[in-house]
């Protein structure tokens, strides 16, 4: 999920409409005064079948007495967005010249940066037209990955018992599919699996969320994530094992991959 903020509601609506037209990304409204999402990101994720979505909201708003009120930080942090986009109104109309408008926009940006720092995620401060940029295209165009995976874990993925693939870091952008390259002695691409979402959290929290279908024990988990405080995983959907394994060359890869590789082929 990407949290889309900014004090100009029309700008956010137009931004999300363009994102849907260009990349097929759905968007929803974050009602901070009603407690958010009913209120977790799972509510919306179930509506879109695991696909990426935008959540429109604010980091601050004007109270009845024209005071600037910040949204409860933990409420947004608990949503665990993958990144934050703040649309900064750069128009030259009269309201932009008013001190109050500038102050609330500055606080929106500063508070958004603070939340991004707490989550250790990227914060993009952009104009609405950024959605047409190459940076946006690279982020929001769905991608496929080829990942080297040991056979014992690949078997569990194909059997449906392993629903989380742990990684020390996640690839940027929206990942829709993983091609499974089974390492030695197989050394072939034996199938593919849909990606529902990317997860990143403190090691203990991610373990609590995923251990029931992670395919590994706690000792192996701690050994793999033996540095740092965060852990990552891809949540997996439907898996398909090929009747005939495919060679790396069919994907334009001429060497055994040591990590994730972006691929353009569709089979």
């Amino acid at each position: 999920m990407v949290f889309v903020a900014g004090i100009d509601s029309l700008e956010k609506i137009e931004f999300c409409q363009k994102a849907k037209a260009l990349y097929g990304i759905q968007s929803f409204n974050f009602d901070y005064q009603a407690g958010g999402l009913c209120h977790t990101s799972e509510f919306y994720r179930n509506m879109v079948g695991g696909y990426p979505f935008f959540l429109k909201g604010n980091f601050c708003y004007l109270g009845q007495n024209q005071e600037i009120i910040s949204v409860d930080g933990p409420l947004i942090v608990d949503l665990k967005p993958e990144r934050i986009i703040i649309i900064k109104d750069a128009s030259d109309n009269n309201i932009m010249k008013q001190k109050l408008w500038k102050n609330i926009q500055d606080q929106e940006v500063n508070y958004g940066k603070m939340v991004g720092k707490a989550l250790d995620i990227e914060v993009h401060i952009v104009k609405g037209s950024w959605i047409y940029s190459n940076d946006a295209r690279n982020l929001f165009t769905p991608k496929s990955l080829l990942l080297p995976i040991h056979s014992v874990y690949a078997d569990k993925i194909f059997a449906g018992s392993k629903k989380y693939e742990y990684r020390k870091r996640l690839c940027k952008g929206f990942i829709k599919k993983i091609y499974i390259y089974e390492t030695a002695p197989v050394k072939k691409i034996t199938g593919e699996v849909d990606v529902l979402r990317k997860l990143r959290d403190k090691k203990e929290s991610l373990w609590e969320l995923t251990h029931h279908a992670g395919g590994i024990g706690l000792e192996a988990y701690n050994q793999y994530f033996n540095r740092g405080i965060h852990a990552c995983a891809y949540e997996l959907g439907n898996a398909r094992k090929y009747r005939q394994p495919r060679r790396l060359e069919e994907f334009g890869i001429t060497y055994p991959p040591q990590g994730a590789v972006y691929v353009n082929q569709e089979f």
Side-chain angles (χ1 to χ4, degrees):
M1 180 266 286
V2 174
F3 193 82
V4 179
I7 61 174
D8 191 320
S9 297
L10 182 59
E11 285 274 357
K12 285 185 292 191
I13 291 172
E14 292 179 349
F15 182 90
C16 290
Q17 287 175 340
K18 293 171 185 175
K20 184 176 182 180
L22 291 168
Y23 311 112
I25 301 173
Q26 295 192 54
S27 63
F28 302 93
N29 291 319
F30 178 71
D31 187 355
Y32 52 84
Q33 292 176 322
L37 291 180
C38 312
H39 278 126
T40 70
S41 59
E42 290 304 313
F43 174 80
Y44 290 108
R45 198 172 299 282
N46 290 336
M47 293 176 66
V48 297
Y51 291 99
F53 64 94
F54 285 173
L55 192 60
K56 303 191 296 289
N58 295 82
F59 290 108
C60 56
Y61 60 96
L62 280 179
Q64 293 182 347
N65 298 318
Q66 298 295 293
E67 74 277 21
I68 301 174
I69 302 173
S70 296
V71 177
D72 183 17
L75 190 65
I76 299 175
V77 170
D78 286 347
L79 294 172
K80 295 182 174 60
E82 295 179 15
R83 65 183 66 246
I84 292 169
I85 295 173
I86 301 175
I87 303 173
K88 191 171 183 180
D89 188 349
S91 61
D92 59 355
N93 53 31
N94 291 332
I95 196 168
M96 274 298 296
K97 297 177 182 178
Q98 297 180 16
K99 184 177 180 180
L100 179 62
W101 183 266
K102 183 179 185 303
N103 287 345
I104 190 173
Q105 181 161 258
D106 289 345
Q107 186 157 328
E108 177 87 351
V109 170
N110 292 334
Y111 197 67
K113 289 180 177 178
M114 185 179 70
V115 172
K117 185 177 181 179
L119 288 166
D120 192 22
I121 60 175
E122 289 186 86
V123 178
H124 306 266
I125 303 168
V126 301
K127 297 180 181 179
S129 59
W130 177 81
I131 195 66
Y132 296 113
S133 69
N134 288 333
D135 286 344
R137 189 176 300 111
N138 289 335
L139 283 176
F140 302 136
T141 300
K143 301 178 179 68
S144 296
L145 294 179
L146 184 144
L147 284 183
I149 298 176
H150 293 302
S151 294
V152 62
Y153 300 128
D155 290 343
K156 291 180 179 181
I157 291 173
F158 293 132
S161 60
K162 181 174 170 61
K163 289 297 186 180
Y164 300 95
E165 174 60 21
Y166 297 114
R167 293 284 148 166
K168 294 177 181 177
R169 61 175 57 90
L170 298 168
C171 292
K172 290 186 176 182
F174 289 158
I175 307 302
K176 65 176 180 177
K177 183 191 300 183
I178 290 172
Y179 292 103
I180 297 172
Y181 170 75
E182 290 195 36
T183 55
V186 178
K187 294 184 179 181
K188 287 187 178 180
I189 299 153
T190 55
E192 60 190 61
V193 62
D194 296 330
V195 175
L196 300 183
R197 59 172 167 165
K198 300 187 296 185
L199 299 171
R200 184 179 183 276
D201 208 335
K202 292 182 178 179
K203 290 187 288 189
E204 297 80 6
S205 299
L206 189 68
W207 173 255
E208 287 299 318
L209 177 67
T210 63
H211 74 275
H212 65 284
I216 64 174
L218 179 57
E219 183 178 353
Y221 178 88
N222 286 333
Q223 184 176 359
Y224 182 66
F225 294 113
N226 62 351
R227 296 183 179 179
I229 62 173
H230 290 96
C232 305
Y234 294 101
E235 183 176 355
L236 308 177
N238 294 326
R240 297 165 290 281
K241 187 170 184 177
Y242 299 150
R243 291 183 179 180
Q244 293 293 330
R246 300 181 181 277
R247 295 176 294 107
L248 286 171
E249 288 77 9
E250 295 181 63
F251 287 73
I253 302 171
T254 58
Y255 55 89
Q258 300 300 309
V261 179
Y262 292 108
V263 294
N264 297 320
Q265 284 83 348
E266 291 290 337
F267 292 98

